[in-house]
Amino acid sequence: DARVTQTPRHKVTEMGQEVTMRCQPILGHNTVFWYRQTMMQGLELLAYFRNRAPLDDSGMPKDRFSAEMPDATLATLKIQPSEPRDSAVYFCASGLLTPGLHRTYEQYFGPGTRLTVT
Amino acid sequence: AQSVAQPEDQVNVAEGNPLTVKCTYSVSGNPYLFWYVQYPNRGLQFLLKYITGDNLVKGSYGFEAEFNKSQTSFHLKKPSALVSDSALYFCAVREPGYSTLTFGKGTMLLVSP
């Protein structure tokens, strides 16, 4: 049963510390997304990659957030320095963009990383 | 720009009764529409999608959704609710030419025994 995995599941850190979240997409999927979920803002798209290339990271605060895909099996989201307002659940999702007239895909979500910055 | 609205923050229904969770969208052109469900402390799970064809789409766990182009709606329905259906439901839209989904704020469905 293929699924997206994320580590860590929970992270508590102090303001100013670096946070790294990792995601292993489903093998064979060519698109990876990072989302942030909060009560106030709901689900926000931070960045996404296709074939490991970043296509859009306009949803991320550029001064402190960075997203990379060092290889096809690993995506990372880093926050440096972290701030209390970064407290949220961060989801990774992967999908396979299918060919054809109606190119589309379902996104498969990981279980999320719950980040608390104190 | 694509957008989606879920007008109800919460829907309450008794077990065994039919349920409807509402979604309306705004796109330029023909939409691709999706429903996802999120259980507590879990990621979102895909339920169903409309791409083209029959306006009534059937999905997982007995859910279905009806695409209504004139009303720009894609309401989620189930004939008989279960307590285990209680969860947070998200509608999402993508229009051709966009690579990403836009999600609604979510609707909490509470099914009482």
Side-chain angles (χ1 to χ4, degrees):
Chain A
D1 185 21
R3 57 184 65 190
V4 177
T5 58
Q6 289 185 249
T7 57
R9 291 294 312 276
H10 301 272
K11 177 71 175 180
V12 180
T13 191
E14 293 183 347
M15 182 174 62
Q17 297 298 306
E18 177 178 302
V19 175
T20 298
M21 291 169 271
R22 294 176 175 81
C23 166
Q24 182 173 4
I26 293 174
L27 189 65
H29 281 188
N30 59 6
T31 309
V32 175
F33 304 83
W34 283 105
Y35 292 91
R36 175 170 63 184
Q37 186 179 35
T38 62
M39 290 291 291
M40 293 299 295
Q41 298 298 326
L43 200 61
E44 303 173 275
L45 178 66
L46 297 176
Y48 79 102
F49 297 76
R50 177 148 309 127
N51 298 320
R52 295 177 55 202
L55 292 189
D56 188 356
D57 61 1
S58 60
M60 291 197 315
K62 298 291 192 306
D63 56 338
R64 299 185 300 109
F65 284 59
S66 62
E68 297 179 345
M69 274 201 80
D71 62 60
T73 65
L74 177 64
T76 62
L77 180 66
K78 291 185 180 181
I79 308 174
Q80 169 61 27
S82 57
E83 297 180 1
R85 60 179 168 153
D86 301 328
S87 297
V89 181
Y90 291 81
F91 289 104
C92 173
S94 72
L96 177 63
L97 188 64
T98 56
L101 178 62
H102 296 285
R103 289 164 56 84
T104 189
Y105 48 84
E106 292 99 54
Q107 295 185 23
Y108 294 85
F109 281 74
T113 295
R114 183 175 295 276
L115 173 65
T116 302
V117 184
T118 60
Chain B
Q2 56 191 30
S3 67
V4 63
Q6 295 181 242
E8 302 153 317
D9 291 336
Q10 184 168 307
V11 169
N12 297 297
V13 65
E15 187 173 33
N17 284 358
L19 69 87
T20 298
V21 183
K22 296 179 180 178
C23 171
T24 58
Y25 65 88
S26 175
V27 298
S28 302
N30 295 318
Y32 300 152
L33 294 156
F34 303 78
W35 276 102
Y36 285 81
V37 60
Q38 184 180 27
Y39 297 101
N41 300 313
R42 302 282 295 274
L44 279 69
Q45 296 178 33
F46 170 77
L47 270 182
L48 52 80
K49 67 181 177 184
Y50 170 82
I51 303 299
T52 186
D54 194 347
N55 289 344
L56 186 63
V57 178
K58 294 187 184 298
S60 307
Y61 312 121
F63 283 93
E64 58 188 28
E66 186 168 11
F67 170 62
N68 187 317
K69 188 171 184 178
S70 63
Q71 298 186 3
T72 62
S73 67
F74 189 58
H75 301 333
L76 182 69
K77 299 181 180 183
K78 187 173 183 180
S80 178
L82 300 173
V83 173
S84 57
D85 292 330
S86 298
L88 186 59
Y89 290 80
F90 290 92
C91 182
V93 66
R94 184 174 79 85
E95 61 181 83
Y98 275 69
S99 296
T100 60
L101 296 179
T102 296
F103 286 86
K105 292 286 189 183
T107 298
M108 179 63 71
L109 172 67
L110 294 176
V111 181
S112 55

